Amino acid sequence: MSDLHELSASEQVRALRAGDVSSHDLTEHYLARIDRLDRQLGAFVTVDAEGALQDAARADELLARGEPGPLCGLPLGIKDLFATAGTRTTFGSATTAEYVPAEDSWTVGLLRSAGAVLLGKTNTPEFGATCYTENDVTTRPAVTPYDPGRYSSGSSGGAATAVAAGLLPVAHGSDSAGSIRTPAATCHLVGVKPSRGLVSPAPAIGFVSAGTEGPIARTVADAALLLDVMAHPAPGDLYGWRPTGGFADAATRTPGRPLKIALWTETGVDGVETHPESVLAAQRTAALLRELGHDVREIPIPVTLAEPVQQAFVAWFGYSVSAAVSALVPAERRNLLQPYSRYLAEAGDALSGNEVVQTQSVLARYAGGFLGALDEFDVALTPTTSAPPVRIGHYHEHGVEAVGNRMLNWSCHTPWANLTGQPAISVPSHVDGDGLPHGAQLVGRRCHDAELLSLAAQLEDAALWEDHHPSCWS
């Protein structure tokens, strides 16, 4: 059974239902790989082997009775920003390292009800505030298995590392500024950020939310498999909506018509050029889309990341971290915060209510510029990141005050889609001569998630990317 992880998640589900493999054997296979490989990769914060094997035993009983849920028996990891009943949820912070929730978050509950076997919690930065995954809970940052000296991005870095290294078949992630898409790009994976409201943030409540949960997977079909389970908004969700059909079905068909697609590769950041390999990722994708009959038109970037917008992003990060720290961290434990988190929390604490509203207004105008410019297009196409995966320590080379802008320089292609609420997906493009992965981002119309998945599946079927794996895969 040394090759079980070679099967896609969809193939594993079919093998479980056919009785070709048991959930117990599948779970033990992944637990053994985690035990053997994760010390060098930093994918997990917590591994619950005992609980996972209990979940697997229950799944095997349901499979034997012919009563499986859609994920019955499939091993899964949950990002450690989301509550898991009975399993510690650290939020990537030493300040809350021993917190054990009494209840699951809404989406975790859906995944459990679907029969998933929860192996543990995947690595995330402190309160999810950075596009790199490094904290004081784990001894190693989450790294891309393609080069363990480089981050697998964040804040869903652990999830992407786990899937790319064959420690999980598919993983749960979340994305507030690119946190599913940029890790997917650094690990040669598919990462889906759904439209606002498709996946409920419950029990969190807010009038404005840039973040949402979504899947990280090896294939479009695997991402759709997980998204079908997650896409059931909680009752009372302000933005909740339900799709008219299944996403797994959407991933088996091509778009029903040629799509009009806008392409740009500029970063929009003064003085920051997109790396040639990142440009190539978008251009390769555009060329194939044209061959498939779509109308791809190169346009100037609709809105730049001017200094006021960058300042607004950093202020918004500060406000968000300040709110999390106020809600979760007792005053006597604030000394355990990492330096950048402390910097953000203090900056957020200093904001007045008027300044928070002004920050939201700047970001709303920035987002509105994209919506207006893209009104005539079905899809936007960009690189996912402005450069290859970065080396460990890169973001702190010029002190905590520079971290926010250095992150935006690298991840500048993704945050706008969070603010507009549009669905976005990062698909693999290629692995460069240094062995580093690069991805392309596709952004669709709001609530047209199924069309976007169909387009990504069409690219996959047309062999936009090869089936690469890192050296630890075998």
Side-chain angles (χ1 to χ4, degrees):
M1 290 183 293
S2 61
D3 60 349
L4 283 176
H5 62 281
E6 298 276 356
L7 300 174
S8 70
S10 302
E11 290 169 338
Q12 290 181 23
V13 167
R14 290 194 289 271
L16 286 162
R17 294 194 174 193
D20 295 334
V21 65
S22 70
S23 180
H24 178 274
D25 288 346
L26 194 58
T27 299
E28 281 202 326
H29 176 78
Y30 279 109
L31 289 171
R33 286 185 63 80
I34 294 168
D35 184 63
R36 186 168 70 253
L37 298 172
D38 195 41
R39 281 184 289 276
Q40 288 74 45
L41 297 173
F44 283 87
V45 175
T46 301
V47 177
D48 182 11
E50 182 179 356
L53 290 170
Q54 290 173 355
D55 285 352
R58 285 191 290 270
D60 283 332
E61 291 176 5
L62 291 170
L63 288 162
R65 296 204 301 263
E67 302 172 0
L71 302 178
C72 191
L74 185 72
L76 185 66
I78 302 296
K79 185 176 177 179
D80 203 28
L81 294 181
F82 295 85
T84 41
T87 301
R88 74 169 182 157
T89 299
T90 74
F91 307 103
S93 178
T95 67
T96 47
E98 303 308 322
Y99 173 61
V100 179
E103 297 181 352
D104 288 329
S105 71
W106 173 259
T107 304
V108 172
L110 292 174
L111 294 168
R112 281 197 204 268
S113 296
V117 173
L118 302 191
L119 269 61
K121 307 300 288 291
T122 56
N123 206 357
T124 191
E126 192 162 50
F127 303 117
T130 60
C131 69
Y132 58 96
T133 301
E134 191 168 23
N135 56 50
D136 291 334
V137 182
T138 56
T139 59
R140 179 158 181 75
V143 296
T144 173
Y146 289 84
D147 182 346
R150 297 174 185 262
Y151 295 116
S152 56
S153 187
S155 58
S156 304
T161 298
V163 176
L167 309 186
L168 287 173
V170 68
H172 159 275
S174 67
D175 190 317
S176 294
S179 293
I180 284 173
R181 288 161 287 158
T182 59
T186 68
C187 291
H188 200 67
L189 298 171
V190 174
V192 179
K193 182 201 81 68
S195 290
R196 180 178 292 130
L198 181 60
V199 178
S200 177
I205 297 173
F207 277 110
V208 180
S209 175
T212 185
E213 296 161 73
I216 295 178
R218 286 164 48 201
T219 70
V220 177
D222 286 358
L225 174 73
L226 202 60
L227 188 57
D228 270 331
V229 173
M230 301 171 76
H232 293 274
D237 191 307
L238 288 173
Y239 301 102
W241 62 278
R242 292 182 182 274
T244 56
F247 295 115
D249 179 60
T252 65
R253 61 176 188 265
T254 59
R257 58 192 172 85
L259 300 177
K260 188 174 180 180
I261 300 170
L263 162 69
W264 69 87
T265 59
E266 307 103 298
T267 66
V269 182
D270 188 34
V272 178
E273 298 292 329
T274 302
H275 189 280
E277 293 288 351
S278 299
V279 172
L280 178 61
Q283 290 178 337
R284 290 185 73 249
T285 306
L288 182 53
L289 287 166
R290 291 186 178 108
E291 289 180 18
L292 293 169
H294 300 289
D295 179 12
V296 182
R297 302 184 185 182
E298 190 156 4
I299 66 169
I301 186 170
V303 193
T304 63
L305 261 169
E307 185 64 25
V309 179
Q310 292 187 53
Q311 292 175 353
F313 267 116
V314 174
W316 185 251
F317 294 156
Y319 170 74
S320 301
V321 172
S322 172
V325 169
S326 297
L328 297 168
V329 182
E332 66 273 13
R333 294 183 65 81
R334 284 200 175 197
N335 64 303
L336 298 176
L337 290 169
Q338 291 190 297
Y340 183 58
S341 299
R342 188 179 302 113
Y343 168 79
L344 283 178
E346 290 172 354
D349 289 345
L351 291 171
S352 68
N354 186 52
E355 288 171 326
V356 171
V357 173
Q358 289 176 342
T359 292
Q360 291 178 330
S361 296
V362 171
L363 296 177
R365 286 195 296 273
Y366 173 73
F370 281 95
L371 288 173
L374 296 173
D375 185 60
E376 64 177 294
F377 293 96
D378 299 301
V379 173
L381 166 63
T382 74
T384 307
T385 65
S386 71
V390 301
R391 294 194 177 278
I392 294 171
H394 165 83
Y395 294 103
H396 290 272
E397 289 175 352
H398 301 296
V400 294
E401 295 86 355
V403 170
N405 284 341
R406 286 175 76 83
M407 290 196 298
L408 281 172
N409 290 349
W410 184 78
S411 62
C412 52
H413 291 289
T414 56
W416 64 272
N418 295 86
L419 297 173
T420 62
Q422 295 170 261
I425 183 168
S426 179
V427 295
S429 165
H430 66 287
V431 173
D432 66 25
D434 294 324
L436 299 174
H438 298 267
Q441 173 183 234
L442 299 161
V443 181
R445 293 185 183 274
R446 284 182 289 192
C447 301
H448 284 59
D449 299 56
E451 183 175 71
L452 193 64
L453 282 166
S454 293
L455 182 63
Q458 186 181 31
L459 288 167
E460 184 175 39
D461 289 343
L464 171 63
W465 61 91
E466 296 180 8
D467 190 24
H468 281 287
H469 296 293
S471 58
C472 66
W473 181 261
S474 300

